[in-house]
Every structure is written in C-alpha cells, then in structure tokens.
Amino acid sequence: MAIAATISLSVSPTTRHSAAAAFNPFRSSSSTTVSVSFSPALRITSLRSSIPFRNPSFRVSATSMSIQAPQQTSSTSFLDRRESGVLHFVKYHGLGNDFILVDNRGSTEPRISPEQAKKLCDRNFGIGADGVIFALPGTNDTDYTMRIFNSDGSEPEMCGNGVRCFARFIAELENLHGNHSFKVHTGAGLIVPEIQGDGKVRVDMGEPILKAADVPTGLPANKQEAVVKSELDVDGVTWNVTCVSMGNPHFVDQGLLVDELNLAEIGPKFEHHVMFPARTNTG
C-alpha cells in the first residue's frame, strides 16, 4: 500500500558535522515548516491551525483529515511535480513495517537530516513511520543507492521490508512495468530486488551471517563460530538467544508467548544491550 504526499520544507544551507557521525550526516539549524497533503485517496482539508512539534522550530500545519475520492486525475505523475522547496514522498509498508520514501536521485546526500527524519516519523506530531528511505544515485556499478534513517534518527545498514518498498518506489519513479531487477547499493552491500509480473517484490537476502564476530555480538560462540540458543541475562531474566545477521544484526528467541510480553519495555533493553555493539533487532 502506498500514500503519496508532499512536505513543504524551508531549510537554509546545511552545515556538516564531524566525521564521527555515520556517513557524515548533515544537519540544519534553521526552522522547518511542514504542510502535509495526501493524494489521491487521502487529503488534508480545512487547514485552520499550526500544531507545534516538541521542538518549536519544527511545525506541522494540519487540522482535520477526511477521506475523499479524488475529484480528478492529473495527467502529470505526483512524483513528477517539482515545486521549489517541496519534498515529495510516498509512504509504503511491507508487512506493516512502514516507511517514508523520498526521491533523492539528484544528490548523493539525503535531502533531510537524521533529526528531521526523526520528527517526520513521529506518529503523534509527524507523518508517522518506522523510518525514512532515500533513493540515491548508484555507486560501484549499481543502479541505485538506498539509505535509511530510523525513527530515532539512527542509520541501519539496510532493511528487508524496506528494500522491497524501495523497489516498488523505483518502479513508480521509473514507470516500470512487468518483470524487472536492479542492483542496489546498501550499507550491507549489494542487494538485487526483483519486481515480479504481479507487482510483488522478491529480494534475495543472501546467506545468513552466523559467525559471532561478524553479526556482531559479544556473546561467546557455542556452536562452531555461531551463537545458538545461548543464555543472555537482561535485567535478571535469562533468555535463550540465537544471533544472526541478514545485513544487520538480529537475535531470535523461539517459543515465547509474545502477547504476554511488554515489548515496548523490553525491546530497547535488548537493542542497546552491551552484547550487541551495533545494536540488534529482536525476534
């Protein structure tokens, strides 16, 4: 599912920070105003007020939202409209993992900063998403480059659901029909998504990485060089974890009754555990 929309950005020239940040992400100290309109299925109507973000320098202009059928279909693609100062995006989800997709093919640097992405992903004061994905020019003989800013402003290597959404976004941008595949450069290396004739996207994620040092995890290997059903203490509770990387770190604990867990509370404790120096996804 996709929802197309625009963001009006008022951003002064950006200033780069030190090389300590991943990919040297740039930030802007200017104020930013965001006005959101959805097309074609959802539209913002009756704009009456400005709702401030937690940061007063970043605002969303909006009021009530109504669901209406489009009055007319423009002959110009939504993504082909290039108004100055407007950031076009399309929102996709893959298995409920939702992303804001931005056409960034004209530059090798993301059009918004990690901090701005974090605010746009806020589900109460922004658009709401798990992350912002940028379609950038290819590098190293690839067709495109994909970068992601998570909803907390961090930058992961890649995302399986995200790269499927990325592929559908590219198909829309390039007006592709039928079967297509292309090479995508990611922080986890080369990914080759394939668009099927029925519109679905197939992605070969490659062989899973099980070697503990390459996941990476500080847990000692207990099966050859892998960590399989190893004990991990989190706040006095012992978990049986298996570590694997599919381009970014994951740990898996099998056989749990998920509905009985407070995921919002325990999730960050796993993600930021000292045994996962590059953080981890939890399954």
Side-chain angles (χ1 to χ4, degrees):
M1 183 181 74
I3 298 175
T6 63
I7 307 173
S8 299
L9 294 174
S10 174
V11 182
S12 64
T14 57
T15 302
R16 286 199 172 186
H17 283 221
S18 68
F23 292 95
N24 290 329
F26 61 93
R27 300 178 187 273
S28 170
S29 60
S30 67
S31 63
T32 304
T33 300
V34 179
S35 59
V36 183
S37 61
F38 294 89
S39 171
L42 296 177
R43 296 191 299 153
I44 297 291
T45 59
S46 303
L47 296 181
R48 298 191 184 95
S49 62
S50 292
I51 305 174
F53 276 93
R54 295 185 181 95
N55 183 339
S57 66
F58 198 99
R59 297 182 304 150
V60 169
S61 298
T63 52
S64 61
M65 179 183 293
S66 63
I67 301 176
Q68 302 176 1
Q71 295 179 351
Q72 60 181 10
T73 302
S74 171
S75 60
T76 303
S77 168
F78 175 83
L79 291 165
D80 288 334
R81 303 172 195 166
R82 305 295 180 188
E83 296 94 335
S84 175
V86 174
L87 178 70
H88 295 277
F89 73 91
V90 176
K91 186 174 178 184
Y92 287 80
H93 82 81
L95 298 176
N97 204 186
D98 60 339
F99 304 94
I100 299 166
L101 278 292
V102 176
D103 181 8
N104 213 121
R105 293 173 297 166
S107 172
T108 59
E109 289 289 348
R111 295 182 62 187
I112 61 174
S113 70
E115 186 62 27
Q116 289 173 318
K118 180 179 178 180
K119 292 169 182 173
L120 292 180
C121 290
D122 190 298
R123 297 190 184 277
N124 294 312
F125 295 94
I127 298 164
D130 292 323
V132 180
I133 297 178
F134 305 90
L136 297 97
T139 184
N140 298 329
D141 296 322
T142 59
D143 300 304
Y144 306 97
T145 296
M146 182 180 80
R147 286 181 62 180
I148 309 174
F149 291 156
N150 284 328
S151 58
D152 64 359
S154 63
E155 182 166 4
E157 296 88 345
M158 63 89 63
C159 171
N161 282 332
V163 76
R164 294 193 301 119
C165 293
F166 179 93
R168 287 298 309 153
F169 184 54
I170 291 297
E172 183 174 356
L173 290 173
E174 303 286 5
N175 196 29
L176 302 178
H177 301 280
N179 292 17
H180 288 276
S181 67
F182 33 81
K183 296 181 289 185
V184 180
H185 174 71
T186 75
L190 176 66
I191 300 291
V192 182
E194 300 177 10
I195 300 177
Q196 309 295 298
D198 59 3
K200 295 180 180 180
V201 179
R202 180 178 183 272
V203 180
D204 184 351
M205 299 290 290
E207 294 185 10
I209 298 169
L210 297 172
K211 185 177 179 180
D214 295 337
V215 171
T217 178
L219 290 168
N222 62 353
K223 186 174 182 180
Q224 297 179 346
E225 296 182 282
V227 174
V228 179
K229 295 184 178 179
S230 180
E231 292 188 350
L232 175 69
D233 181 270
V234 180
D235 281 356
V237 179
T238 299
W239 304 79
N240 294 316
V241 304
T242 298
C243 298
V244 59
S245 173
M246 295 303 299
N248 52 352
H250 289 71
F251 102 72
V252 180
D253 191 329
Q254 297 178 322
L256 297 175
L257 297 177
V258 177
D259 290 342
E260 297 179 2
L261 302 176
N262 186 341
L263 299 179
E265 178 182 346
I266 66 175
K269 295 178 181 179
F270 292 118
E271 179 183 4
H272 298 282
H273 197 281
V274 66
M275 288 299 173
F276 303 108
R279 304 202 299 182
T280 188
N281 296 278
T282 304

